[in-house]
Amino acid sequence: EVQLVESGGGLVQAGGSLRLSCAASGFTFDDYAIGWFRQAPGKEREGVSCISNNDGSTYYADSVKGRFTISSDNAKNTVYLQMDSLKPEDTAVYYCAVRFSPEVGVQPYEYDFWGRGTQVTVSS
């Protein structure tokens, strides 16, 4: 059974940091891509960052480049999203998802299975 469990969300002041974790099970972690997405109230779900566990290639949305870093620990089947210099506009529910392809994907429809999400709130 495929499972993705996000953790690490919370409330932080602007300029602060959080590290999200996505623990995966039920599939061959090394073969596929994992993405982080976020959805704010009243807005569409958007791609934040993703990584291919196959070749290590990554993608970042322009809005988070230079502030967020994605990484993967294949021994732990876990993907991390280090979020620094957080802004109030980063407030959203953050989801991780697996794409059953070795290539990174940007759009939500490219992903096959989703976690339940973790809330990130950045206060001004």
Side-chain angles (χ1 to χ4, degrees):
E1 179 187 4
V2 175
Q3 286 193 334
L4 297 171
V5 180
E6 302 95 336
S7 62
L11 173 63
V12 64
Q13 289 188 335
S17 298
L18 286 173
R19 189 177 81 155
L20 305 184
S21 299
C22 173
S25 61
F27 61 94
T28 306
F29 186 81
D30 296 4
D31 289 349
Y32 304 121
I34 300 286
W36 282 100
F37 295 80
R38 66 187 181 187
Q39 189 165 19
K43 294 188 176 181
E44 293 187 354
R45 192 169 296 189
E46 63 173 349
V48 174
S49 181
C50 54
I51 186 167
S52 168
N53 292 320
N54 180 260
D55 64 10
S57 57
T58 59
Y59 160 83
Y60 293 95
D62 287 344
S63 58
V64 306
K65 280 181 182 176
R67 301 189 298 121
F68 290 11
T69 305
I70 194 168
S71 61
S72 183
D73 185 335
N74 287 20
K76 295 183 178 180
N77 284 9
T78 300
V79 171
Y80 303 98
L81 186 68
Q82 177 66 41
M83 306 188 297
D84 299 318
S85 302
L86 283 161
K87 304 175 181 180
E89 51 263 44
D90 295 317
T91 295
V93 177
Y94 284 70
Y95 301 88
C96 69
V98 58
R99 185 186 192 204
F100 292 129
S101 165
E103 299 181 358
V104 296
V106 177
Q107 300 299 329
Y109 70 81
E110 297 178 289
Y111 286 77
D112 299 290
F113 192 88
W114 294 77
R116 294 187 175 185
T118 185
Q119 175 71 46
V120 171
T121 303
V122 184
S123 63
S124 57

